[in-house]
Amino acid sequence: MPLNYEMLVQTVTMPLILMGLIFCTISPSGAAEKNALADAVVSSSDALYGKLVDRTRTPEIPGVVSPSFVVDPTWPKPLPNKWIIGQVGGIAVDQDDNIWVLHRPRSLSATAVGALDVAAHDKDGLAIDGLGNPRPFSGKHAKCCVPAPSVLKFDASGTLLDSWGGPSDPEFLKTRCRADQGCVWPAREHGIFVDHNNFVYLSGNGEGAEGQFPWSATHGNDSHVLKFSATGNFIYQIGYAGTTEPSNESTDGGPGGTPQLFMPSDMTVDPQTNRLYIADGYGNSRVLVVDAKTGKYIGHFGAYGQNPVVTKPIGDSGAYGQDLVATKSDGAAPWPVKFRAGVTKPRYFDSAVHCAVVSRDGLVYVCDRNNNRIQVFRADAVGKTCINADAKTGACGFVRDIPVELQTVGPTVGGIAFSTDGEQSCLYAADLWNGMFHVIDRSNGNIVQQVGRTGRQVGQFNWLHSLTVDSRGNVYTGEVETGQRVQKFTRYGSVGCSSTGSAR
């Protein structure tokens, strides 16, 4: 039975509203009675919430075991300072179960940031705010709101613990991330990861920024990854900002001889090896492997583990049938064109290589977003010079394909995370186009449950972009486009997956 989110909101919030009304009608002298009533309302709310969980529990299916989820409409708590968030590029959990959110202040609309004050004047001498919006009264034009700093750190209860970075934190860009120090803040914030040593990594996929308004970036394309301490102190940058074209075989060219990136998507550090895997990304079509301490090059690979990277269809009749189905000058056909031509296993990564995540058992899972699939590799075997033109399992570290909703016209796999049982038996995959996250049995690649649907109500998604999991198995999600929010899905029932399931 699908989750009834409208019932959830009414069930959880109505007792709280009632409690507020009760408090308004009791005199100060009735403190004891007020506390008793409050306790009764909270107990009632807990009981109703428990009943709701029972009512929405996923029906048992013979041969299928998987976690179930219910959305928490109270998470996170309201932000201070009239702050608001824009598109959520990335979301991550650290080893202390703090949730890190990377959002895009520059994505907010003029009406959303009415409390922004004058930051400059345009070419006609008219007052504008930092995003270039007119300020006809030469000041704020509404009581709310202003963009929050780009990096937000919450505890498990949803309380904001820290915030820093980005154009809405101007002192940060003046003192802690300056171009003359080798730190260039991305034009469009995209990915965030916090490693086992509490270092924070950020990526961007902005392109063509030209400084049209005070907060606009001026460096051109994002083609770099930044590393900070947990408190926002700059450590290093991989790649120079402003690269103008892909270079999939580049192994240096960046600061200090580190590799040159091109619109990277996301990254993960393997705590066993301290290797940083970068999904590189929207411009390049590869996974780059570097030493997380130094940023120095270790290796790189493309689809099916190939190095050199295959970036365009090859017009032969190999294991995939005819690949030459291009409709663009770069040779990368839209997914429906490939699908109709029978090319369901293209031998190249398409834009974007959206994530690269490492499991405890030493496998690298890569989000090949526009090819609607996840590719799996052995971490100890990828990155070397290797040819796997026939997509053989075991060659070049390639393990398997996991297709995700192949008959979807747009991109599906945006981000992935694992369940918290010892085997990490569940793989959670954020589906951008279908507005849900899939629960996949990692042992066989079958989808065993799907959570959410496209929509704007609590528990639904508008362009689900990224997700992460805390130590209790709760799933946190972030949305881009006009979604612009984070949500928490509380896990209950099983912590892991086992199934016959269904392949999709």
Side-chain angles (χ1 to χ4, degrees), residues 278-474:
I278 302 173
D280 181 30
Y282 278 81
N284 288 336
S285 302
R286 64 177 177 177
V287 175
L288 187 70
V289 189
V290 302
D291 183 298
K293 183 176 181 179
T294 64
K296 298 294 185 181
Y297 171 80
I298 294 174
H300 71 277
F301 61 95
Y304 298 105
Q306 297 204 82
N307 178 355
V309 172
V310 177
T311 58
K312 294 182 180 181
I314 301 172
D316 60 29
S317 55
Y320 319 86
Q322 181 68 13
D323 269 7
L324 198 58
V325 293
T327 60
K328 296 181 179 179
S329 60
D330 63 2
W335 177 249
V337 176
K338 300 174 200 172
F339 188 86
R340 289 196 305 271
V343 185
T344 56
K345 291 186 175 182
R347 67 193 68 186
Y348 53 93
F349 287 145
D350 206 342
S351 178
V353 185
H354 211 255
C355 79
V357 182
V358 184
S359 62
R360 293 192 197 113
D361 54 358
L363 298 177
V364 182
Y365 288 73
V366 179
C367 298
D368 188 7
R369 192 178 79 169
N370 283 32
N371 282 329
N372 292 12
R373 67 182 177 184
I374 300 165
Q375 288 208 318
V376 188
F377 304 88
R378 284 178 45 204
D380 62 359
V382 290
K384 309 174 181 68
T385 300
C386 192
I387 302 301
N388 188 14
D390 293 326
K392 292 181 179 178
T393 298
C396 301
F398 174 67
V399 175
R400 67 180 305 171
D401 273 316
I402 301 177
V404 179
E405 301 292 2
L406 288 181
Q407 295 191 58
T408 296
V409 68
T412 56
V413 188
I416 55 179
F418 304 106
S419 57
T420 54
D421 55 316
E423 296 77 22
Q424 294 184 314
S425 57
C426 305
L427 178 67
Y428 303 119
D431 187 332
L432 290 88
W433 206 264
N434 290 303
M436 62 177 60
F437 66 85
H438 305 283
V439 183
I440 299 172
D441 185 336
R442 198 162 71 96
S443 69
N444 55 28
N446 289 333
I447 295 174
V448 297
Q449 189 181 164
Q450 296 170 318
V451 180
R453 70 166 178 84
T454 298
R456 298 187 179 279
Q457 294 178 308
V458 62
Q460 299 173 352
F461 301 109
N462 182 58
W463 209 250
L464 174 58
H465 193 250
S466 56
L467 83 176
T468 190
V469 178
D470 69 15
S471 66
R472 296 186 177 184
N474 303 315

Side-chain angles (χ1 to χ4, degrees), residues 188-225:
R188 180 167 57 209
E189 296 86 347
H190 194 278
I192 184 169
F193 182 78
V194 186
D195 74 9
H196 55 292
N197 293 314
N198 282 329
F199 291 116
V200 181
Y201 302 81
L202 306 177
S203 66
N205 73 327
E207 52 186 324
E210 298 175 355
Q212 306 94 327
F213 46 86
W215 285 6
S216 177
T218 57
H219 60 261
N221 299 323
D222 289 335
S223 45
H224 55 300
V225 163

Side-chain angles (χ1 to χ4, degrees), residues 75-78 98-99 153-162:
W75 200 97
K77 297 176 182 176
N98 298 311
I99 296 86
K153 176 184 176 183
F154 298 91
D155 67 15
S157 72
T159 300
L160 183 67
L161 301 178
D162 198 7

Side-chain angles (χ1 to χ4, degrees), residues 67-141:
S68 295
F69 297 92
V70 61
V71 69
D72 181 349
T74 68
W75 200 97
K77 297 176 182 176
L79 295 173
N81 308 321
K82 297 183 179 179
W83 283 349
I84 189 172
I85 64 171
Q87 297 177 8
V88 178
I91 190 166
V93 170
D94 66 22
Q95 60 188 345
D96 299 314
D97 269 354
N98 298 311
I99 296 86
W100 295 72
V101 173
L102 179 68
H103 84 103
R104 303 168 178 171
R106 287 168 287 214
S107 69
L108 288 161
S109 68
T111 54
V113 294
L116 271 183
D117 214 333
V118 174
H121 291 79
D122 64 17
K123 59 182 178 58
D124 298 319
L126 300 175
I128 57 174
D129 66 14
L131 294 172
N133 302 308
R135 286 294 176 257
F137 299 106
S138 295
K140 304 173 184 179
H141 74 192

Side-chain angles (χ1 to χ4, degrees), residues 50 54 58 66 71 100 146-147 150 156 159 187 247 302 342 373 451 489 493 498:
D54 289 338
T58 304
S66 72
V71 69
W100 295 72
V146 296
S150 294
T159 300
S247 179
R373 67 182 177 184
V451 180
F489 291 79
S498 63

Side-chain angles (χ1 to χ4, degrees), residues 31-92:
E33 291 86 348
K34 181 174 71 174
N35 290 336
L37 283 169
D39 290 342
V41 170
V42 170
S43 297
S44 173
S45 178
D46 288 344
L48 289 169
Y49 191 86
K51 289 179 181 178
L52 177 62
V53 169
D54 289 338
R55 195 177 299 127
T56 59
R57 187 179 299 276
T58 304
E60 292 188 8
I61 303 173
V64 175
V65 175
S66 72
S68 295
F69 297 92
V70 61
V71 69
D72 181 349
T74 68
W75 200 97
K77 297 176 182 176
L79 295 173
N81 308 321
K82 297 183 179 179
W83 283 349
I84 189 172
I85 64 171
Q87 297 177 8
V88 178
I91 190 166

